[in-house]
Amino acid sequence: MRKLWVCSYGCQMNVRDSEEVTGLLLEKGYALTESEEQADVILFNTCSVREHAEDKVWSNVGALKELKAARPELIIGVMGCMAKAQRGKIFKRMPHVDFISGPAQLYQVPELIETIWEERKPMMAIQEKQRQEFQTISYHSGKVTALVTIMEGCDKVCSYCIIPYTRGPEVSRPPEQVVEEVRRLAAQGYREVMLLGQNVNSYGRRMSGEPFVLRQAQHERQRVTFPELLKRVNGVPGIERVRFITSHPWDAVEELFVAMRDLEHVCEHLHLPVQSGSDTLLERMRRGYTAEEYLGKLELLRRTVAGAAVTTDIIIGFPGETEADFEATVRLMEKARFDSAFIFNYSPRPFAAASRWPDDVPREVKDRRLQTLLKLQEQISCEKDQPYVGQTVEVLVEEPGMGRSRTNRKTYFGDQGVKPGDLVEVLVTRLRGHSLVGEIRPSTGSGRTEPTDSARTVFR
Ligand code: SAH
Ligand code: F3S
């Protein structure tokens, strides 16, 4: 039996793509192994979003040179975004790689491996077009939560971003297929689904298999929007929680917030990347909103969905970022009061418009700004943690003694005979870092309570 070792970098979409390839290979009789040394096939599913993500792959794949020299029959594949973005360089810099495959071609990986086994020559399967078909997958790495791709690619043109190039234009998976997959997952015992897309809010603009141009009016009439999809997924018996990433602020509309409020299983957590608080930079990033407009959306969200948690992404050191631009980001963070934030140093990416502009913010300035924002966010996160103490939260158990609240807070509790997949109510007694710690309460059946900034309590 051939042994397989898979390593995934980057976003949840990549994790899901790796599951797809793993599932296809397991169906062909492969077995997963924990150790690279014992593997017959080693696969890296790579990320290109920042230079740092690529550096890790160059170094980790590079390190396999000796293993490959000792065991020439070993097959090493580099898949995903970096395979596409760096296709010219991978075989040159790492001749021990046997094949590369772009994100839209992963379903071909088992075939590629077979051919390599027979012909023993390096292979490349990179397609310029986007994914046309979505596969229902047979392997999931999570036990309680399953990842479900609802769309692929991105039609936005954020000037720093390589993803529209690596993953192609946006295409949505037909709603019936999504619901069917969620039903199967529920039947297999999954309790939570995470719906994945680069910008889930624009779901349904173009379904896979549809021609590019549809008459607008006809299209809008037929379109299943993201809130409508949420409604359908929410209705699948057995699924207790529905989460989704990622939302673009431009497309995050009131209809979505209303769906988050009204649909019982949709969790009150929105990841809404803001990127910057400076209108000048937002414009150059081509984000399509101002800081004020973003804050307006947040306010509407919080007014509509009481107790909603909001997380974000921020890029610092974007070309031309002045001290005043940076200060504007600090002010935005103070006003927005995110539950948490991923803060990244800008790195120029090939094929992205901004890569033509000088990366002119010095390293030390980037580092100082990064530290300032991390410190500020840490303080805000701590303040957002406090109101949880004394509250009862609904927790979906992921492993013995640990689960997550609806707002995505890790929650620990004494192991009281509950098992992964159970929904329990936990009275929070203290905090440990940013995690909640508490005791399981007998369920009152009244649903959940989550704190809000103003200490209002929500029942539903
Ligand atoms: N819509 C996507 C965004 C993917 S990229 C999603 O599904 O999450 C994730 C984050 O990486 C972005 O929100 C942005 O903050 C950051 N990022 C993208 N390109 C970058 C670059 N060139 N340098 C630094 N950070 C970047
Ligand atoms: Fe990238 Fe902007 Fe799309 S960050 S994935 S181009 S929404």
Side-chain angles (χ1 to χ4, degrees), residues 3 27 96 104 106 131 151 191 203 234 257 301 370 405:
K3 294 204 189 77
E27 278 167 23
H96 56 291
L106 297 183
R131 187 190 291 250
M151 56 204 296
R191 309 298 302 281
Y203 176 82
N234 183 72
F257 306 154
L301 167 75
L370 181 74
S405 76

Side-chain angles (χ1 to χ4, degrees), residues 154 156-158 160-161 163-164 198 248 275 287:
C154 184
K156 298 275 185 249
V157 285
C158 304
Y160 50 81
C161 187
I163 292 175
Q198 300 301 338
H248 189 292
Q275 314 298 1
R287 291 290 289 177

Side-chain angles (χ1 to χ4, degrees), residues 3-9 17-26 30 32 36 39-46 57 61 64 74-80 97-101 106 109-110 112-113 116-117:
K3 294 204 189 77
L4 170 69
W5 189 84
V6 186
C7 175
S8 211
Y9 298 88
D17 285 349
S18 298
E19 290 175 352
E20 185 171 328
V21 176
T22 305
L24 290 171
L25 290 169
L26 293 183
Y30 284 70
L32 281 170
E36 280 171 285
D40 301 298
V41 174
I42 296 183
L43 301 179
F44 291 89
N45 195 11
T46 59
V57 175
V61 181
L64 292 181
L74 170 68
I75 290 187
I76 301 175
V78 177
M79 318 184 294
V97 168
D98 294 280
F99 75 90
I100 59 178
S101 166
L106 297 183
V109 164
L112 274 177
I113 296 177
I116 292 166
W117 232 293

